[in-house]
Each structure stands twice: as structure tokens, then as C-alpha cells.
Amino acid sequence: MTLLSVPKLAFTAGLTLAFALPISSPAMAQVATPVAPPAAARTAPAHILIKVDDLRVVRGGVHPRWQKLADFLKARKVKAGIGIICDSLEGDNPNYVRWIKEQRATGLIEFWNHGYNHKEWTVEGRKTQEFVGTSYEQQKESFTQSSRLAKEKLGFSLPAFGAPFNGTDATTVRVLQEDTDTRVWLYGDVKNPAGKLVLDRVGPVNIENPIFKPSLEKFVAGYDRYPKRAYFVIQGHPAQWDDAGFDQFVKIVDFLTKEGAIFTTPSEYAKTAAAPAPVTKP
């Protein structure tokens, strides 16, 4: 019989007896707080997609915290996906463009479309974002401009899309259905995937909790709740991390490395997800 099923009078009597007896008595053991069962063991390594957002040009180059992240990924040979706010490719910023190309050439970083301008505003008291509450023409133009700039300035297309603020609507689905560059939709609409591979999010399993604040403790607590999950897309904003936040991110990578996790990019995981399951012998 558990404590929750004990009648009120019996429970009260048990507590009285427990306080009257030595700590080693059988009666005391009956009212001890039960120990939570250990988390279920993971039977296969998880694929980890590090989704880091909001790359933009700063004084003709990148914010020093982006360089710090890139140096760390290179030193540890960890793969990640970086979301470009694509209007940052407007104008003449050769150092910024060179930096993006150099990081891509390492084979560790894939750049993806994080919208054209990442703006949010209010229309008649209603919150509006680049891909929420805007017209088909506006959303189409965002994709068209982003694609054009990537190809003209960088020389390659952006195979994945993740909306600013992770906000989209039915119009976004329509625009994505027509877009031929995008193959992966990060944090997309699983019910309306627009012909893309949607890689959704698990709220408790994230780099930052709350936003801009990386936390190893909260990450591990969430991660241990999903031992059967095949992949996690974990989001962060490196330009917002102070030194303590970056250290927490490093500890998350350390934890996942010890877990045997497979760090990957959106396009690489898309190939894995599309591959046929291996044939097992009976």
C-alpha cells in the first residue's frame, strides 16, 4: 500500500509513530519518501542538429562570439547549422561573405535561410512577423530575395529554412510548396509539411532555457525524458551568450559527446531520414 492510498487516520497515526521511534525503525521506513526510478537507458545514439540563429553582418564581418563558436566547432569537429538573416548579404561586405564561405568549406557548418529581415511589428494591435499574418506576395518576396542573395553573393543555395521567431502560417506552407531550394523545414508544421522534411522541436531539450540562457542542468533533465527520440534540433543564439553562457553550451556538447551523440547538419540528417531501413536477419 502506498502513502497515497492510506486512509487519513492511519496516515496521521503512522506519522506520530514514526516521530516517536528511532530513525532505524521499520515504522519510519514505511513513511520514507520513495526514490524516483532512474531514467530509461538510450539504446541508440541520438542525432543532434545544433540550430544556431541570427547570423548578420557586424561592421563588415561577424560578431566575435560567432568566431568563438566557429573556432570551438572546428576544434571539436562538431557539426552545426547557422541561420543567416539574408538581408545581411545586401551591400558590399567581402569579409562577411568570405567568413561564411570559409566556415562552409570546413564541412562542419551548413548555412540555412532564417528569413530575409527577421522583423516583427504590429498591425491594428495584431502582432505580425515576416511569416505570420503577412500576404502571399510579401512572404514570396522574402524567399525570392533570400535565395537570390545566397546564390549571387555566396555561390550556393540554402537547403533548409527556419522562420524568424519560429513563426509561420498557412501562407508560409503555400510559399514553401513552391520553393525548390528548400528541402528541410526546421521547427516546421508537422501537419502541413509543404513537401519538406520537417524537423520539429522538443521544448524541454534545448540549449537555452530560458531564451538566450544556455543551461546544462535543464538540457540534461529534458534529454533524459526522451530516450527513444531519434533526433533533437537544439536552438541557440550565440551572439547573445556571455562567457558563462558559452561555457554552458560547451558542457552540453561535452555531455552529448559522452552520450555518443551524432552531430549532424540539416541536409545530412535529411539523407539519413530518407535512407531505407537496414535489413535485419530473422
Side-chain angles (χ1 to χ4, degrees):
M1 178 180 295
T2 65
L3 286 177
L4 294 177
S5 63
V6 177
K8 183 176 181 181
L9 289 176
F11 180 73
T12 304
L15 278 179
T16 303
L17 179 61
F19 282 110
L21 292 172
I23 195 168
S24 59
S25 70
M28 187 62 175
Q30 291 178 12
V31 297
T33 302
V35 177
R42 175 169 285 277
T43 58
H47 286 76
I48 301 295
L49 293 90
I50 298 175
K51 172 187 181 289
V52 279
D53 298 11
D54 299 351
L55 180 70
R56 65 181 83 212
V57 65
V58 176
R59 293 185 293 276
V62 298
H63 193 289
R65 291 171 183 164
W66 280 109
Q67 185 62 57
K68 184 177 182 179
L69 174 72
D71 291 343
F72 170 74
L73 296 175
K74 185 176 181 180
R76 295 289 297 273
K77 295 182 172 57
V78 168
K79 295 182 178 181
I82 294 179
I84 303 177
I85 300 175
C86 293
D87 69 353
S88 66
L89 296 171
E90 299 276 15
D92 185 22
N93 295 293
N95 291 336
Y96 179 61
V97 169
R98 185 182 307 112
W99 187 88
I100 293 173
K101 290 181 177 180
E102 288 174 352
Q103 304 316 312
R104 183 174 184 264
T106 67
L108 297 173
I109 295 175
E110 178 172 283
F111 292 91
W112 48 272
N113 175 4
H114 195 35
Y116 176 72
N117 57 35
H118 205 299
K119 289 184 177 180
E120 181 178 57
W121 62 100
T122 301
V123 177
E124 297 179 351
R126 177 172 53 87
K127 183 172 71 174
T128 305
Q129 298 171 349
E130 189 173 348
F131 296 99
V132 175
T134 45
S135 68
Y136 167 82
E137 289 74 19
Q138 287 174 290
Q139 294 198 24
K140 184 75 171 180
E141 181 69 4
S142 288
F143 269 87
T144 300
Q145 291 289 75
S146 297
S147 178
R148 176 187 63 81
L149 287 165
K151 292 173 183 177
E152 288 181 3
K153 296 295 183 71
L154 303 176
F156 56 85
S157 60
L158 304 175
F161 167 71
F165 311 104
N166 298 313
T168 58
D169 59 19
T171 301
T172 317
V173 174
R174 178 185 171 189
V175 172
L176 272 170
Q177 286 173 332
E178 299 169 354
D179 184 77
T180 57
D181 288 332
T182 305
R183 300 191 297 276
V184 180
W185 186 2
L186 301 169
Y187 292 176
D189 186 342
V190 294
K191 295 181 178 179
N192 300 286
K196 315 302 179 186
L197 173 65
V198 170
L199 299 180
D200 61 346
R201 70 192 304 176
V202 177
V205 190
N206 230 327
I207 298 169
E208 300 171 350
N209 192 345
I211 191 169
F212 304 147
K213 298 293 183 182
S215 170
L216 171 67
E217 180 181 4
K218 292 178 180 178
F219 179 88
V220 173
Y223 181 87
D224 285 345
R225 289 168 55 187
Y226 298 88
K228 296 182 180 180
R229 174 85 176 187
Y231 73 89
F232 297 96
V233 183
I234 58 177
Q235 177 178 274
H237 302 81
Q240 305 296 330
W241 299 343
D242 57 14
D243 289 344
F246 189 85
D247 288 345
Q248 287 292 300
F249 168 70
V250 170
K251 289 177 180 179
I252 290 171
V253 172
D254 287 341
F255 166 77
L256 290 169
T257 300
K258 290 178 181 178
E259 286 282 301
I262 301 168
F263 294 97
T264 187
T265 66
S267 289
E268 281 189 351
Y269 189 73
K271 293 176 183 177
T272 300
V279 178
T280 56
K281 296 181 180 179

